[in-house]
Amino acid sequence: MIFRRILGFIPLIFGITFISFMIMHAAPGDPTMMFVDPSVQIQDMAQVKANLGLDKPVLVQYFFWLKEIGKGNLGFSYVSGQPVLDLLWERLPATLLLSVSSLILILCFTFPLGLLSGYKKDSFFDRAVTFLSFLGMSLPTFWLGLMLLLLFSLRWSLFPTFGFIDPFLEDASLWARAVSVLHHMFLPLLTILIGGLAGLIRFNRFSIIEILSQDYIQAGRARGLSERRLLFKHAFKNAALPIVTILGAGLSGLIGGSFVIEYIFSWPGMGQLGVSAVFARDYPVLMGSILFSSILIMLGNFLADLSYSKIDPRVRIR
Amino acid sequence: MLELKKLRTLFELSGGKTVTAVDGVSFEIKPGEVVGLVGESGSGKSVTALSIMGLLAANSRVESGEILWDGRNLLELTLSELRKLRGRDIALIFQNPLAALNPVFTIGNQMVETIQEHFSLDYKKSKDLALSWLKKVNIPDPEARFDQYPHECSLGMCQRIMIAITLVMKPRLLIADEPTASLDVTIQAQILHLLAELKDELDMSVLLVSHDMGVVAQQCDRVMVMYLGQIVEEGPTDKIFADPKHPYTKALLRAIPVPDPSKKHAFEPLAGDIPSPLNIPSGCSFHPRCSEKLPGCESQSPGIYSVQGCRVACHLFK
Ligand SMILES: Nc1ncnc2c1ncn2[C@@H]1O[C@H](COP(=O)(O)OP(=O)(O)O)[C@@H](O)[C@H]1O
Ligand SMILES: [Mg+2]
């Protein structure tokens, strides 16, 4: 069953990569734009394009790319000449670290805040959470990221402006390196959290309000169950269902958003690699990072479906 | 044991309007008694039940009156005092058993948590107690059901399970709000039979809420007839059914379908619609639908008169 689901991803990945390939080639500019040396002749540029296969029709290029993927070859960067696969592998841990920790933190904050503000509807606490959520939802992520960078890193030098870890800590203890990574990760993580949390807390609040009016909550009260048990056991598990769905569906947004954030904070992940590749028209690297992130998104969706069926006994994966 | 004195329960609607759903209801339930509360839907039966349990919705409150349990006014208890009473002393079962069970926890889980909320038993003992009750309510293969989810059981099965979850605490009063209204006729009879059996075994009192005169006639020692938030007639079941006094009771009895054409009265659905609770008729609230209306009925509310062992609120018996 699970195997069937994974097979189902393959056509999707074809679709995504095909469309990205077309858009990439439709966009103005090509890799030879990087050759700014005035002594380079037009014929030479054409020769370079021919060497790279860029003179062929786009469709042919796409099938060529696909054929190489089939052999496990993602090509070589136009810029650095390194194998794309190596570049991506190198970047994967940083991306996973940022997206997995933001996902975990989002869950850790959404539930207590959403549950309590739904339970204490219209209280001071609820109003405060509502106000902050609206604030969070109305701030564009990239603007927020730039502002945080500007204030905390550039003006007050509280946080580093780029990177993943302090390069001088290569031989330091594990603890010192972990602290350094956390220090570097703080602002990007905060930016993702503020953007990602706000809507989810609102949503969780509404589902809690809806769930608390259900018969089974009323029946639990009639049996003398405590409010704490009803809220944190009975309502919690039911409210977790839609959150898992939303997170599954919103995963692409989360990853897409973290591309921009990685770029702003020069976080050495796949997102930053991909965005830089866009500017450099480094097609193989760009296609590689699109391929990797779509696989990540699909795995995420798959995990969301799996946990959904774990939480809700009425749903079974087919 | 339970005594209601002039209970008045209001709903506050948006726009500052209020609806009086229960309007000066007084009655008493003695140990071991089975009392029926009948009336068309919307007459305030469920709101009466929820007022007793202290489970009114947020937009609803008891305006005046007393609910005495062994002489203690339940309206003056704190939530934690009330919680000890709920389930343990006074229990409630609902119309829709499937909705009254949390869909994402197993039946066993919900039974054990209820048992452990009230008794200090370890898991093993609680489970044994739960299984013995599943057996008592005639659930085939209780061990297997214990690990199933509510959606895996039929409605009738769910109602049996609800009865087990509720009666495992041996309450002294069971309020059953339309316990069979959602079930097939044959299952209905089985459930009513089961309730009657368990009532004798546990020596509890039952307040049986129903819109079905037939159900009440079979099960109850005493009947109270409710119309628009007021009790219009009350007395021993045999007297009410043999010789109804209030025109509303008579109309309700005429509205029972009788399959046997040789019976003396024909099936005659209740004339007119139940008035909007926002706009309750003046005087006797039944007068617009009454076939025996007197000149004073439109302006004066009737007193309560004792007639041959029954209490009737009707000008005919002044
Ligand atoms: N949630 C609610 N909001 C407003 N009014 C309500 C609500 N629930 C019940 N009522 C009012 O209380 C009256 C009695 O309802 P209820 O006790 O449920 O009747 P029933 O006798 O069918 O159980 C209804 O006619 C309605 O006017
Ligand atoms: Mg009702």
Side-chain angles (χ1 to χ4, degrees):
Chain A
M1 293 171 291
I2 290 174
F3 186 66
R4 277 242 304 276
R5 278 292 302 263
I6 292 178
L7 276 185
F9 289 159
I10 292 175
L12 264 174
I13 290 185
F14 275 130
I16 293 174
T17 53
F18 180 73
I19 292 172
S20 331
F21 204 87
M22 293 303 143
I23 292 176
M24 191 173 76
H25 282 272
D30 64 58
T32 56
M33 280 183 0
M34 301 306 286
F35 303 146
V36 283
D37 188 339
S39 64
V40 175
Q41 301 294 308
I42 297 287
Q43 308 91 281
D44 297 341
M45 299 220 317
Q47 183 59 45
V48 170
K49 280 194 194 173
N51 288 348
L52 293 175
L54 291 172
D55 55 343
K56 306 239 166 45
V58 181
L59 262 180
V60 174
Q61 291 185 40
Y62 178 69
F63 284 112
F64 185 70
W65 182 78
L66 268 188
K67 205 177 92 201
E68 290 302 309
I69 295 285
K71 295 188 212 152
N73 172 20
L74 268 71
F76 296 85
S77 165
Y78 292 165
V79 178
S80 65
Q82 282 174 284
V84 171
L85 195 60
D86 292 359
L87 283 174
L88 289 171
W89 271 126
E90 217 171 79
R91 300 296 188 113
L92 193 61
T95 289
L96 283 182
L97 182 69
L98 191 61
S99 47
V100 171
S101 19
S102 60
L103 200 62
I104 291 174
L105 284 179
I106 282 179
L107 288 176
C108 289
F109 281 107
T110 298
F111 279 108
L113 293 177
L115 285 179
L116 286 178
S117 69
Y119 183 67
K120 298 206 172 289
K121 184 166 75 129
D122 299 329
S123 65
F124 173 75
F125 177 78
D126 179 35
R127 281 168 212 273
V129 169
T130 301
F131 174 76
L132 291 176
S133 316
F134 276 123
L135 201 66
M137 280 193 277
S138 55
L139 297 178
T141 313
F142 71 91
W143 180 84
L144 183 71
L146 286 173
M147 277 315 179
L148 291 174
L149 186 72
L150 192 69
L151 290 178
F152 290 96
S153 301
L154 296 176
R155 178 154 312 166
W156 295 322
S157 306
L158 290 176
F159 292 98
T161 51
F162 69 92
F164 169 77
I165 188 169
D166 196 332
F168 298 114
L169 288 175
E170 202 86 314
D171 302 318
S173 69
L174 189 67
W175 172 249
R177 279 185 294 162
V179 168
S180 172
V181 170
L182 281 182
H183 193 203
H184 282 78
M185 190 162 67
F186 187 82
L187 286 185
L189 204 53
L190 185 68
T191 315
I192 299 181
L193 278 189
I194 292 177
L197 265 181
L200 220 51
I201 291 180
R202 290 293 295 161
F203 184 84
N204 193 224
R205 173 187 181 271
F206 282 119
S207 39
I208 284 294
I209 291 173
E210 213 265 322
I211 287 164
L212 288 177
S213 71
Q214 297 289 314
D215 276 8
Y216 54 81
I217 298 291
Q218 177 99 310
R221 289 198 174 115
R223 272 181 275 145
L225 300 184
S226 68
E227 291 294 293
R228 198 181 320 137
R229 185 191 289 274
L230 288 170
L231 188 62
F232 291 110
K233 179 182 168 183
H234 289 261
F236 172 84
K237 199 169 173 190
N238 283 280
L241 292 172
I243 294 285
V244 168
T245 316
I246 290 204
L247 277 182
L251 214 61
S252 48
L254 210 63
I255 289 182
S258 71
F259 269 37
V260 176
I261 286 162
E262 283 185 5
Y263 193 73
I264 291 175
F265 291 97
S266 310
W267 181 259
M270 285 184 346
Q272 193 220 19
L273 185 73
V275 178
S276 319
V278 171
F279 291 130
R281 300 291 186 276
D282 193 347
Y283 294 158
V285 172
L286 183 54
M287 283 313 293
S289 47
I290 288 172
L291 181 68
F292 259 53
S293 29
S294 36
I295 291 175
L296 277 187
I297 290 171
M298 279 173 208
L299 278 179
N301 269 322
F302 179 60
L303 288 181
D305 282 0
L306 265 188
S307 30
Y308 195 98
S309 66
K310 276 269 172 289
I311 299 173
D312 192 340
R314 291 166 295 187
V315 177
R316 289 277 169 255
I317 285 210
R318 268 159 292 119
Chain B
M1 191 168 65
L2 177 76
E3 192 179 354
L4 265 61
K5 287 187 176 169
K6 296 226 160 79
L7 183 75
R8 249 168 72 83
T9 303
L10 304 182
F11 278 87
E12 271 171 40
L13 305 184
S14 52
K17 286 203 199 99
T18 57
V19 164
T20 308
V22 178
D23 191 4
V25 163
S26 303
F27 62 80
E28 194 183 346
I29 298 178
K30 299 200 177 65
E33 239 187 339
V34 180
V35 181
L37 183 59
V38 283
E40 288 163 290
S41 79
S43 51
K45 307 179 301 288
S46 297
V47 176
T48 305
L50 293 176
S51 305
I52 297 171
M53 298 299 294
L55 289 175
L56 291 170
N59 64 337
S60 165
R61 66 191 150 87
V62 173
E63 168 74 4
S64 60
E66 287 174 57
I67 301 172
L68 300 175
W69 176 253
D70 293 338
R72 271 204 302 177
N73 188 353
L74 296 185
L75 298 171
E76 286 163 3
L77 297 188
T78 63
L79 181 62
S80 68
E81 288 171 322
L82 199 55
R83 233 184 52 223
K84 285 202 202 90
L85 227 91
R86 283 184 194 150
R88 195 66 215 268
D89 283 359
I90 311 179
L92 177 63
I93 57 179
F94 293 80
Q95 171 168 357
N96 182 347
L98 188 58
L101 289 163
N102 192 329
V104 300
F105 292 103
T106 60
I107 285 151
N109 181 314
Q110 298 183 61
M111 287 193 86
V112 166
E113 88 177 337
T114 308
I115 292 170
Q116 290 184 334
E117 187 83 44
H118 291 279
F119 308 111
S120 42
L121 289 180
D122 61 21
Y123 181 79
K124 175 85 182 52
K125 291 216 177 78
S126 311
K127 180 171 176 179
D128 288 344
L129 183 58
L131 289 176
S132 75
W133 267 90
L134 287 178
K135 211 169 291 156
K136 217 194 268 279
V137 297
N138 306 322
I139 300 277
D141 199 2
E143 308 264 342
R145 289 290 169 193
F146 188 86
D147 293 318
Q148 284 186 339
Y149 290 89
H151 73 275
E152 296 172 272
C153 304
S154 68
L155 264 187
M157 191 82 81
C158 279
Q159 193 60 293
R160 283 169 197 278
I161 289 163
M162 264 325 279
I163 290 171
I165 288 192
T166 310
L167 296 189
V168 67
M169 291 166 292
K170 303 204 164 86
R172 290 163 55 206
L173 170 65
L174 173 68
I175 304 177
D177 190 352
E178 311 259 12
T180 58
S182 60
L183 308 176
D184 290 345
V185 184
T186 45
I187 314 278
Q188 236 181 56
Q190 290 171 9
I191 296 279
L192 289 172
H193 183 72
L194 176 71
L195 275 177
E197 246 176 41
L198 291 170
K199 182 245 149 207
D200 286 337
E201 186 184 327
L202 300 179
D203 194 25
M204 62 181 180
S205 314
V206 178
L207 175 62
L208 181 61
V209 174
S210 178
H211 66 271
D212 184 339
M213 290 298 261
V215 166
V216 167
Q218 282 168 27
Q219 305 290 322
C220 301
D221 307 323
R222 204 147 54 80
V223 180
M224 307 185 286
V225 181
M226 200 166 185
Y227 185 71
L228 284 178
Q230 297 179 330
I231 292 185
V232 295
E233 178 162 6
E234 186 245 299
T237 309
D238 46 356
K239 287 197 178 150
I240 299 265
F241 280 82
D243 180 18
K245 311 277 184 310
H246 198 286
Y248 179 58
T249 316
K250 290 183 202 165
L252 279 180
L253 287 174
R254 277 198 303 272
I256 304 176
V258 182
D260 180 359
S262 68
K263 275 271 163 60
K264 63 175 182 271
H265 57 248
F267 168 54
E268 191 181 307
L270 229 71
D273 289 325
I274 193 161
S276 154
L278 276 170
N279 191 11
I280 289 183
S282 61
C284 170
S285 54
F286 187 59
H287 82 257
R289 299 168 80 186
C290 185
S291 54
E292 301 171 57
K293 190 166 56 176
L294 299 175
C297 291
E298 289 159 34
S299 52
Q300 275 173 299
S301 2
I304 296 175
Y305 307 101
S306 285
V307 187
Q308 300 160 6
C310 300
R311 292 189 303 160
V312 193
C314 177
H315 288 300
L316 289 172
F317 301 92
K318 201 164 347 189

